[in-house]
Amino acid sequence: MDYDNFSELRAQFPVTESLIYLNHAAVAPLVRPAAEAMKRFSDDGMLFGSLHYQTWLDAYEGVRLAAARLVNVTPQEIALLKNTSEGIATVAMGLDWRPGDRIVAFHGEFPANQYPWQRLEKSKGVKIEWLSVTDPLETIDRAAKGARLLAISFVQYLTGYRADVQAIGEICRRHGVIYFVDAIQGLGVFPLDARACHIDALAADGHKWLLGPEGCAVLYISRELQEQVEPVEFGWTNVAGYNDYGARDMALRPDAGRYECGTLNTIGCFGLRASMEFLLAVGAERMGPMIQALGDRIAEGAHRKAYEVLGQRTPETGAGIVSFRKSGVDSTAVVAHLKEQKISAAARAGWVRTSPHFYITAEEIDKVIACLP
């Protein structure tokens, strides 16, 4: 595959033959390598059952390796889970919370990165200090002092605001705060170095910007944090000797596999490994500016047509999500109208949310803007 050729890359997205797809922040179409990998697994399972079980193990390890490369960590710090929510809950429910512990969280988060922390208020007596992602770093610094954990999204699901995860990580490191990042709306397409950013844990499902299937996710959890987070779900594969079916030693696995409870989503791992390897070959350094430019083009076009654009986009804070609305115009009606024109977007909280991936063209964006009522 010539990854320097845009037309060849675009050919890996058959969805372009029928739709202008601007809904990657919800569920992305499978990239061709992911779909083909899942088909191969399905056919092999139909014809041979589990005879080729070693290829399943290779797929699991392939996901760990690819995810580790995406965020510059080790494969031993990657757990394979079913979704982002499970990753967040693993950290939230696995820590030994004490009454009076404080969490720094942010308004406007997707519920998956809000509910688990709020639940700790009632069950553990934890206190939450709520901030805005647009608050100055000085405000975040003050709030982080004395906190036990800070949780934020890499990219906000509605505003598309991309957080300064490096600067916030420096704050958390300085104050000894556990730093958790919900990375689902940016992982794979914007560079994210967990080591450099001092991130202790992050989670992301494969079905959005990673272009993989639903129900297959990764959790990065540092070796240091693994010693503080107990597995909440417990099954036969959490333990170090899980391959010895006759053993009953419950010593935990010495890596992030200790958070994997039972059989994995094997077909999902085949697909997610292929999609992540595809994205690694293209490169986040290449895709990020392309996605940013497409988002800017949508924002400018929507503004010209008298739509209100949510938030302020800058080169530092913009990402792939652009939400807009117009007074007196129902966002669900706009989305339905676009669907009639074979354009896929989403209605979210009264806004029309668009989210183009790198393979979308500027000409397609212009067509979308022209179709706006």
Side-chain angles (χ1 to χ4, degrees):
M1 178 58 60
D2 181 4
Y3 289 111
D4 293 325
N5 187 317
F6 179 78
S7 62
E8 288 294 327
L9 285 170
R10 184 172 160 88
Q12 302 309 303
F13 298 89
V15 69
T16 57
E17 299 170 11
S18 54
L19 293 171
I20 299 176
Y21 203 90
L22 303 184
N23 204 15
H24 297 86
V27 178
L30 290 171
V31 66
R32 189 188 299 275
E36 291 177 347
M38 294 168 75
K39 289 175 184 176
R40 286 194 299 271
F41 171 79
S42 180
D43 287 344
D44 187 69
M46 176 179 65
L47 296 172
F48 298 105
S50 64
L51 182 65
H52 301 133
Y53 185 72
Q54 182 59 48
T55 67
W56 302 16
L57 301 180
D58 293 342
Y60 307 152
E61 185 62 18
V63 175
R64 297 185 210 281
L65 287 167
R69 287 179 60 197
L70 279 176
V71 295
N72 189 31
V73 300
T74 68
Q76 292 73 32
E77 296 171 301
I78 301 294
L80 309 183
L81 304 179
K82 61 179 181 290
N83 49 50
T84 310
S85 296
E86 185 179 25
I88 298 171
T90 295
V91 175
M93 304 305 164
L95 283 165
D96 180 21
W97 295 100
R98 300 175 294 269
D101 280 345
R102 190 160 54 83
I103 293 172
V104 178
F106 294 81
H107 295 294
E109 290 280 355
F110 190 75
N113 199 25
Q114 178 175 339
Y115 293 161
W117 314 117
Q118 285 184 302
R119 191 167 182 264
L120 294 172
E121 286 185 297
K122 294 182 178 180
S123 63
K124 301 292 185 179
V126 170
K127 300 182 183 300
I128 300 178
E129 182 165 352
W130 294 98
L131 302 179
S132 168
V133 293
T134 58
D135 281 338
L137 290 173
E138 292 80 4
T139 301
I140 297 175
D141 196 341
R142 286 194 298 271
K145 186 176 182 179
R148 188 167 183 200
L149 180 143
L150 181 148
I152 194 170
S153 288
F154 183 24
V155 175
Q156 294 291 316
Y157 85 102
L158 184 61
T159 65
Y161 182 90
R162 179 158 48 100
D164 188 345
V165 289
Q166 174 99 43
I168 296 172
E170 291 289 349
I171 290 170
C172 290
R173 179 194 60 80
R174 187 164 59 251
H175 294 300
V177 177
I178 297 169
Y179 186 22
F180 177 85
V181 175
D182 176 348
I184 194 170
Q185 293 293 5
L187 182 61
V189 293
F190 288 93
L192 183 60
D193 187 325
R195 289 275 182 245
C197 295
H198 308 290
I199 296 170
D200 296 296
L202 68 81
D205 204 324
H207 68 274
K208 298 183 188 291
W209 302 92
L210 290 174
L211 304 171
E214 286 197 295
C216 195
V218 294
L219 168 68
Y220 156 67
I221 180 165
S222 70
R223 286 187 179 275
E224 296 76 18
L225 190 58
Q226 288 174 33
E227 298 307 312
Q228 300 180 52
V229 176
E230 288 291 321
V232 178
E233 296 181 306
F234 210 95
W236 67 283
T237 57
N238 297 83
V239 302
Y242 68 93
N243 282 321
D244 183 352
Y245 304 133
R248 293 297 180 266
D249 185 349
M250 293 181 63
L252 292 173
R253 286 163 68 170
D255 53 28
R258 63 180 60 188
Y259 304 108
E260 297 170 7
C261 178
T263 302
L264 299 172
N265 177 359
T266 303
I267 191 169
C269 287
F270 271 79
L272 185 55
R273 176 182 63 175
S275 66
M276 289 197 296
E277 289 175 348
F278 171 83
L279 291 173
L280 283 164
V282 179
E285 295 79 6
R286 181 182 181 187
M287 288 181 286
M290 297 170 72
I291 292 169
Q292 174 93 358
L294 293 168
D296 291 345
R297 198 177 189 94
I298 292 173
E300 292 162 5
H303 181 73
R304 287 197 307 271
K305 298 199 74 169
Y307 281 82
E308 174 193 359
V309 177
L310 180 60
Q312 299 292 323
R313 292 180 61 84
T314 71
E316 294 76 27
T317 64
I321 294 172
V322 183
S323 299
F324 51 86
R325 67 184 179 186
K326 183 184 287 188
S327 179
V329 179
D330 183 5
S331 63
T332 58
V334 174
V335 170
H337 171 72
L338 292 175
K339 185 177 180 180
E340 292 174 354
Q341 310 303 313
K342 298 186 177 181
I343 299 166
S344 179
R348 293 288 186 272
W351 299 82
V352 177
R353 189 183 70 179
T354 56
S355 46
H357 217 295
F358 81 95
Y359 65 89
I360 302 298
T361 66
E363 291 75 19
E364 287 175 317
I365 297 301
D366 292 344
K367 180 179 178 180
V368 171
I369 297 303
C371 287
L372 289 176

